[in-house]
Amino acid sequence: MKKVNMPTMESVAAFKAAMDSDKGALGPFMICTDPAMVESAGYAGYDFVLLDMEHGTTTMQQLPNLIRAANVAGVCPVVRVPRGTDIWIDQALDVGAGGVMVPQIDNAEQAAAAVKAAKFSPIGMRGTCRFVRSAGFGSIPGSEYFSKAQDTCVILQAEGKKALDNIEEIMDVPGIDVIFIGPYDLSSALGHVGEINHPEVIEAVKTIIAKGKEKGVKIGCFADTVEGCIKWRDLGVKFLGYSEDMDIFIRAAQKDVEAFAK
Ligand code: 3PY
Ligand code: MG
């Protein structure tokens, strides 16, 4: 019988190694629904692509093709599901996500529910089916699939006031790979909408980073620019969610347009 691989799981291993390195893992949020854009981001050398179903328009039907494109380029596909949609967690994993990011986690109960949705028994209660895309539609033996698929990543967003209040109990939930700070939602929650460099926002980010260090939990954070990503990395952040595909394109194109006009 033909040996079928699990390309996403190979990319997960490289992604985890990047997070464990001094460099950290860098990847853009992606809202473009064209697989060519995802494939190109993979060729550019990012450690992951963050397929955004919270603020992007990608549908569950389009998602498998974006993940296929990530697989072609060998880059880890992480999927951000919309808020409060635990069922989307295992659907995203079923079509081949290497990790799921869940927005607006406010307490340990929500964190535990997200982990439960992402992991097969005995760790969680992910819907158990070996005929899905991540299992090669049945061509990967169940014993191999159910064991390897447990290594996909669970990334939970801390971005509200309640998350700040409950950060220790959230971090204590087993099975979380990364706590990802959303500075924009945090700025809203702290009464400074959009001001991600407001001292109170920066202080909140730093508090979460420090708690992560104390508890041995990896921290991720969003930044608009690569310089911002480097700033967070220098403070110990290991997962850097960088801008967004269309913004990256616009800024690169603007530089070209300006250079041409000189
Ligand atoms: C935020 O800043 O709120 C985010 O979720 C980053 O994507
Ligand atoms: Mg957010």
Side-chain angles (χ1 to χ4, degrees):
M1 212 163 71
K2 183 176 159 69
K3 171 86 180 102
V4 178
N5 294 326
M6 293 172 66
T8 285
M9 295 319 298
E10 285 163 24
S11 69
V12 167
F15 162 57
K16 285 185 176 175
M19 281 200 289
D20 286 336
S21 72
D22 289 344
K23 179 186 77 72
L26 176 73
F29 279 81
M30 310 218 56
I31 62 168
C32 179
T33 55
D34 188 336
M37 194 68 151
V38 174
E39 190 181 342
S40 303
Y43 293 148
Y46 290 116
D47 300 294
F48 60 90
V49 284
L50 232 159
L51 309 174
D52 192 2
M53 299 178 86
E54 184 193 20
H55 291 295
T57 58
T58 296
T59 64
M60 220 16 116
Q61 207 168 8
Q62 290 167 320
L63 185 63
N65 284 335
L66 300 187
I67 292 176
R68 279 189 187 98
N71 291 159
V72 165
V75 62
C76 185
V78 177
V79 176
R80 176 158 75 175
V81 298
R83 292 172 208 186
T85 51
D86 282 359
I87 182 63
W88 289 44
I89 295 175
D90 58 6
Q91 290 209 1
L93 294 169
D94 279 357
V95 296
V100 280
M101 177 183 280
V102 187
Q104 299 281 2
I105 293 291
D106 282 336
N107 54 48
E109 200 183 328
Q110 290 172 350
V115 173
K116 191 172 163 192
K119 301 289 176 189
F120 292 121
S121 169
I123 305 169
M125 282 307 284
R126 177 175 163 192
T128 309
C129 176
R130 74 168 191 89
F131 301 99
V132 291
R133 180 175 178 271
S134 54
F137 302 110
S139 59
I140 292 162
S143 53
E144 181 184 342
Y145 170 63
F146 292 124
S147 136
K148 283 191 179 165
Q150 295 287 52
D151 288 342
T152 53
C153 293
V154 177
I155 300 161
L156 304 184
Q157 284 201 257
E159 47 184 356
K161 234 177 155 323
K162 284 189 192 147
L164 275 179
D165 294 342
N166 298 327
I167 198 66
E168 296 202 22
E169 64 165 59
I170 293 173
M171 286 181 178
D172 284 341
V173 171
I176 300 171
D177 292 282
V178 178
I179 293 289
F180 183 81
I181 304 163
Y184 275 100
D185 276 308
L186 206 50
S187 73
S188 285
L190 296 173
H192 309 292
V193 62
E195 291 178 60
I196 59 170
N197 290 317
H198 190 284
E200 268 183 64
V201 179
I202 300 283
E203 194 189 304
V205 172
K206 286 185 175 169
T207 302
I208 299 175
I209 295 172
K211 277 278 170 261
K213 272 191 194 147
E214 207 179 293
K215 292 200 167 272
V217 173
K218 273 197 188 74
I219 300 298
C221 191
F222 175 83
D224 287 335
T225 61
V226 170
E227 292 72 26
C229 290
I230 293 169
K231 184 183 86 181
W232 293 136
R233 180 180 65 185
D234 289 347
L235 290 175
V237 173
K238 290 295 189 180
F239 174 98
L240 289 315
Y242 166 47
S243 183
E244 175 248 272
D245 47 6
M246 308 320 297
D247 177 57
I248 293 168
F249 173 77
I250 290 172
R251 283 185 287 128
Q254 279 171 339
K255 270 196 188 147
D256 285 347
V257 169
E258 280 164 19
F260 184 73
K262 267 184 193 158

